[in-house]
Amino acid sequence: MQQFIQGLVQALEPQAIVYLLVGTFSGLLIGTLPGLTATMAIAILTPLTFWLSPNQGLAMLVGVWNSAIFSGGISAILINTPGTPASIASTFDGYSLTKKGLSGLALGINVVFSAFGGIMGVLALILIGFPLARFALSFGPAEYFSLAIFGLSTMVAVSGKSIFKGILAGFLGFSISLVGLDPIFGSERFTFGRMELLNGISFIPMMIGLFGIGEVFYQVYMSKKTYENDQNATKQLGRVIPTLKEMKSVTPVALLSSIIGIIIGAIPGAGADIAGLVAWDQSKKIAKKPEEYGNGSLEGLTASTTANNACLGGALTTMMALGIPGDAVTAVLIGAFIMYGVQPGPVMFRDRADFVYMVVILMILANIAFLAVGFFASKALTKFLSLPQSFVWTTIIILSLIGTYAINNSSFDLILVFIAGIIGFVFRLIDVPLGPIVLALILGPMAEANMRRALILSGGNAFIFLRRPISLTLLVLSVISLLGSVARKKKV
């Protein structure tokens, strides 16, 4: 109880609330503008929170994350272009409602059920996080190795159209993670005599380069707008707040989509875009009028907007309880946690329960914040859909460079961020996914270190991974996950 009160006090600190609101409004703008993703925003802003206390910094990042996922639906509804990948499924029915003159109602549904899904996801974190962490405290090196392998097995699922390209990207990420000191013997590896590389390749500059600088390079290279204004976006939106009857009619779909979003969010390597698509498809299968889906169905829009926000709670549960990123954003948040001196994983729930409670409360407050301003913001943010891209590009590059340098005051990190930016740009050109790189950077060191520890404890006997029930179960699940992903991609 004392730890809960400590977490509550930290979350409700006036300065933390101010930064939460700053993050919320920043996320609203970032999510609305197509081409800017929540991952990019978190990657760029994380080092900028270096000067803040952990509760203030996380308040800002949590605010950005939640509101960016919600506001991605604004451009999806108004101009048929998702502001973030999480809102892809929202274009199916959202834009059809706009063409019918119901854009205000569609925006209102997006506000209400994005907040509903987000809060449901946080409740899942509360109910599942602590039991899962207590269970994970019994893990030894063998179990942690198998857990990392299970996370890496989702590499195929996030490989886009080409499994080969995804695996290639994963190997690149794993190779980068080997740079630095050997985790067991402390000997130098691939440092080439550079003192800056003794601690390995810094994770935050890599993320900023891949998702920030690389995206800017790509958009500049394409030399065209990633979105076009639509006359419907500036028309009178009409009624924004849904009636009680309308909300009641779509509530069953919202509950189902929340469950789907939470489950998919908890799966390492999945994300809000997948959650939205799956929820839309599953709700269509049980709908009384499935023919309306894709043609302006309120249920269809509700399914996608609820699931992609509920996914956040599921992803955060996996990240905080097990130390495995549920999606790209939580992968970057791991870096933020470490920057604040907290290592995600089961030990955090035992030794820093106050920190966990603080994050949970901040998540709830972030959903309440964008719910409170969402109706007004949905109307106001239509003006930003015509913001010049050159302004956006310049802002991103400036923030990226400032944030990168701020972490270690190192000019070497600026070199890293540009190298990562070039890699991200080239990979986008040749359609190589960035998700596997993120997974390998996070889970590669975890897999290597625990595999070697387990082998040392067993005297070199590799069967230790099969003799321990939890380890064996995780390895079997890894095989099932890998084969299932391959089979699905072959069908496609």
Side-chain angles (χ1 to χ4, degrees), residues 232-365:
N232 288 308
T234 57
K235 286 182 179 179
Q236 184 67 32
L237 297 179
R239 176 171 58 89
V240 176
I241 301 176
T243 65
L244 289 176
K245 182 179 179 181
E246 288 167 338
M247 288 194 288
K248 184 178 178 181
S249 66
V250 297
T251 296
V253 169
L255 291 171
L256 172 64
S257 300
S258 295
I259 296 172
I260 293 173
I262 292 166
I263 293 173
I264 291 178
I267 299 173
D273 51 345
I274 298 173
L277 291 167
V278 172
W280 186 88
D281 180 64
Q282 293 302 312
S283 63
K284 180 181 179 181
K285 291 179 179 178
I286 63 172
K288 294 180 179 179
K289 298 180 180 179
E291 68 278 0
E292 292 183 359
Y293 276 62
N295 296 303
S297 168
L298 288 182
E299 289 187 357
L301 180 61
T302 299
S304 61
T305 58
T306 304
N308 59 20
N309 284 269
C311 180
L312 274 57
L316 201 58
T317 300
T318 301
M319 186 273 274
M320 292 179 66
L322 301 177
I324 293 180
D327 58 9
V329 177
T330 48
V332 181
L333 282 176
I334 287 179
F337 276 45
I338 294 173
M339 188 175 74
Y340 297 135
V342 179
Q343 177 66 52
V347 176
M348 180 180 69
F349 279 73
R350 183 190 65 193
D351 299 339
R352 292 298 309 274
D354 61 317
F355 189 87
V356 176
Y357 286 124
M358 179 188 73
V359 174
V360 168
I361 295 168
L362 288 174
M363 288 287 290
I364 295 174
L365 291 176

Side-chain angles (χ1 to χ4, degrees), residues 197-267:
L197 294 176
L198 287 177
N199 292 323
I201 301 291
S202 184
F203 179 74
I204 297 298
M206 285 297 298
M207 290 298 98
I208 293 174
L210 290 172
F211 293 102
I213 301 294
E215 180 64 32
V216 171
F217 286 169
Y218 179 74
Q219 291 187 22
V220 172
Y221 175 79
M222 297 301 290
S223 68
K224 62 180 180 179
K225 291 187 175 182
T226 56
Y227 59 93
E228 296 179 354
N229 290 326
D230 190 283
Q231 292 181 349
N232 288 308
T234 57
K235 286 182 179 179
Q236 184 67 32
L237 297 179
R239 176 171 58 89
V240 176
I241 301 176
T243 65
L244 289 176
K245 182 179 179 181
E246 288 167 338
M247 288 194 288
K248 184 178 178 181
S249 66
V250 297
T251 296
V253 169
L255 291 171
L256 172 64
S257 300
S258 295
I259 296 172
I260 293 173
I262 292 166
I263 293 173
I264 291 178
I267 299 173

